[in-house]
Amino acid sequence: MIVNDPIYKTIQIEDDDLIEIVKTKAFQRLSLIKQQGNTFFLHNEAIHTRFEHSLGIYELLKRVISSLSARGDISLTQYEKKLAKVAALLHDIGHGPFSHCFQLISGHDHGEVTLRIISENAEIRNILDRTPNLLNDVLHILKGGSKYKIIEEILFGSLSLDQLDFWNRDLYYSHLHINPYDIDTLIDSLRFKGNTLMIDVSAVPQIERMISMKESLYKHGFSHPFVVGKDLLIQEIFKTVVREDIHLQSQSLSNVLKSEILQIKDFLTLHDKMLVDEVFILSHVKEHEQLSKLATLYLSSTGSVKYDESYMDMSSSTGIVIKENRNYCSYNGEIYVSNGEEIVDILQVSKHIQNITEIPAKYRVYSLNDS
């Protein structure tokens, strides 16, 4: 299987089991789930999907394993390589419509849903069961166990391939005119020492660029107040639906939102358009005037929730208070640099990153009632 990709140009999957995983209905559903949720209201080309990202982290994993193996830093068996690739492909299969936003609507953690889909979906189980122990080992990695430290560190550590794919991918589909980090240079600089993935000192500028990208994509992308307003609107719309037991056209969506026990078969029918279609219908329900107003505002291409912002602590303000998450827009530690025999945190060698970490977090207060 060969897939064209704007980041890596070509993604090639040769293992028959992995090809079958990609063809399952559960995996194909990810092509209907936007990676950045409501960011498309701000950047209209930001409609890339969890499907693309999952294939991207798979391709990136292959390249990193090849580079580290050639360098002699790691040595994985054929089984471990397959295990890592399966975990990369399946790590986001539990995302609901609009990705992280749906987690706040439904209360179902996407990581927990991922584990349940892998465990309960017959198509996926049947493929994984062909290889002894593969199903349980994939679950072990995605639970954050410690049996396969090399794989877990590469996929989900501080220099995780998960992040390395989505920052470049999100930037590509944004309107932001900043240079991405060079993925080939970064891969060549990776080292694996003492169960930790790190970079050679020569690649510090690439990480500096990545941190700057994080800051820009956060502030001018998925955490822009216009986008956050859309998140809050769709969350409030469906919370109102549940609270007032308002009828939905989709029985499976109704089941997921209103039932105490999540049924995976219902969850696997959900996608972005289903929610938007429901919001459109709700915007025309006259007997629920306030709900209709919120739905209409959500669908608007120009309107969102009103807000105030400050660098002062606004946690006692009336409204929905959201503080910038510095983990997403700054450096949050534990990226290590190898300079010969010396290993240090990148913060010790980068004035640029030091300056970014000193920027205070901003507070915003959103008011649904005044919008």
Side-chain angles (χ1 to χ4, degrees):
M1 174 184 283
I2 297 177
V3 180
N4 294 324
D5 181 78
I7 308 301
Y8 309 112
K9 307 309 178 187
T10 299
I11 296 173
Q12 185 166 354
I13 304 176
E14 299 172 342
D15 186 294
D16 289 340
D17 289 342
L18 272 61
I19 292 172
E20 287 193 43
I21 287 173
V22 172
K23 290 181 178 180
T24 62
K25 292 179 181 178
F27 194 88
Q28 289 291 315
R29 184 188 69 94
L30 295 179
S31 66
L32 305 175
I33 308 292
K34 284 187 278 295
Q35 171 84 7
Q36 284 195 291
N38 288 304
T39 306
F40 75 98
F41 278 105
L42 189 65
H43 301 283
N44 59 6
E45 294 181 358
I47 55 174
H48 53 301
T49 65
R50 291 282 164 182
F51 181 90
E52 296 171 61
H53 168 58
S54 297
L55 291 178
I57 188 175
Y58 161 85
E59 176 62 24
L60 192 51
L61 175 78
K62 284 201 311 179
R63 298 185 185 191
V64 169
I65 287 177
S66 176
S67 177
L68 292 175
S69 298
R71 191 176 295 281
D73 283 5
I74 64 172
S75 178
L76 299 180
T77 65
Q78 289 303 116
Y79 172 78
E80 289 171 327
K81 290 177 183 177
K82 180 167 185 170
L83 170 62
K85 293 172 184 176
V86 172
L89 284 175
L90 294 178
H91 81 287
D92 267 352
I93 204 165
H95 268 293
F98 296 99
S99 293
H100 291 283
C101 186
F102 190 74
Q103 189 164 298
L104 296 173
I105 294 172
S106 67
H108 297 298
D109 179 79
H110 79 274
E112 295 298 323
V113 178
T114 290
L115 298 176
R116 285 195 57 190
I117 291 172
I118 295 170
S119 300
E120 299 176 29
N121 180 260
E123 274 191 297
I124 292 175
R125 279 193 66 101
N126 289 340
I127 296 168
L128 298 185
D129 281 342
R130 295 171 189 166
T131 303
N133 302 317
L134 184 57
L135 174 61
N136 287 334
D137 283 343
V138 168
L139 293 172
H140 184 86
I141 287 174
L142 296 180
K143 287 177 182 176
S146 58
K147 184 178 179 181
Y148 295 98
K149 291 182 179 179
I150 294 175
I151 296 172
E152 291 162 21
E153 171 70 10
I154 291 173
L155 286 177
F156 308 121
S158 297
L159 261 175
S160 73
L161 303 192
D162 189 21
Q163 292 187 60
L164 294 184
D165 178 79
F166 70 63
W167 292 124
N168 256 0
R169 192 170 299 277
D170 289 353
L171 179 64
Y172 177 86
Y173 285 101
S174 76
H175 294 162
L176 301 178
H177 299 293
I178 55 179
N179 292 324
Y181 56 86
D182 186 278
I183 193 64
D184 293 325
T185 299
L186 192 55
I187 290 174
D188 288 343
S189 80
L190 290 175
R191 305 289 185 267
F192 202 94
K193 299 180 180 181
N195 288 325
T196 301
L197 187 66
M198 60 189 67
I199 60 164
D200 182 75
V201 68
S202 63
V204 167
Q206 299 300 323
I207 300 300
E208 290 176 334
R209 190 172 295 173
M210 185 187 79
I211 301 300
S212 295
M213 284 169 54
K214 284 178 62 175
E215 183 184 30
S216 294
L217 285 165
Y218 181 86
K219 294 183 176 181
H220 305 292
F222 64 89
S223 192
H224 186 282
F226 189 84
V227 176
V228 173
K230 295 296 188 182
D231 290 344
L232 294 174
L233 284 166
I234 199 168
Q235 290 165 28
E236 181 60 24
I237 288 165
F238 285 104
K239 287 177 181 178
T240 302
V241 165
V242 173
R243 186 170 59 248
E244 300 184 14
D245 197 23
I246 296 171
H247 175 74
L248 293 173
Q249 296 299 307
S250 167
Q251 186 59 52
S252 58
L253 177 59
S254 184
N255 291 344
V256 169
L257 295 181
K258 298 179 181 181
S259 299
E260 291 186 9
I261 300 175
L262 176 66
Q263 299 296 327
I264 291 301
K265 63 179 178 61
D266 288 327
F267 188 90
L268 286 174
T269 68
L270 307 184
H271 52 80
D272 289 3
K273 187 176 182 299
M274 178 184 289
L275 263 66
V276 174
D277 288 346
E278 294 284 1
V279 172
F280 179 79
I281 293 169
L282 293 169
S283 71
H284 292 82
V285 178
K286 295 181 180 179
E287 58 267 33
H288 297 284
E289 184 178 352
Q290 180 60 18
L291 181 62
S292 175
K293 179 183 175 182
L294 293 176
T296 300
L297 182 57
Y298 172 78
L299 295 170
S300 169
S301 62
T302 57
S304 191
V305 179
K306 293 180 180 179
Y307 69 94
D308 291 314
E309 64 181 11
S310 174
Y311 283 107
M312 302 293 290
D313 189 339
M314 303 176 76
S315 56
S316 60
S317 301
T318 301
I320 302 172
V321 180
I322 297 179
K323 181 182 179 182
E324 281 184 340
N325 187 334
R326 303 300 292 169
N327 287 337
Y328 282 104
C329 63
S330 184
Y331 174 65
N332 57 330
E334 298 188 342
I335 292 180
Y336 294 103
V337 177
S338 173
N339 188 7
E341 295 299 317
E342 186 181 23
I343 297 173
V344 297
D345 191 295
I346 196 171
L347 200 59
Q348 298 182 36
V349 295
S350 172
K351 185 63 177 177
H352 175 75
I353 294 178
Q354 290 173 21
N355 290 338
I356 289 178
T357 60
E358 291 170 1
I359 299 173
K362 183 179 288 187
Y363 288 82
R364 291 194 181 97
V365 179
Y366 296 84
S367 180
L368 285 170
N369 295 331
D370 296 335
S371 298

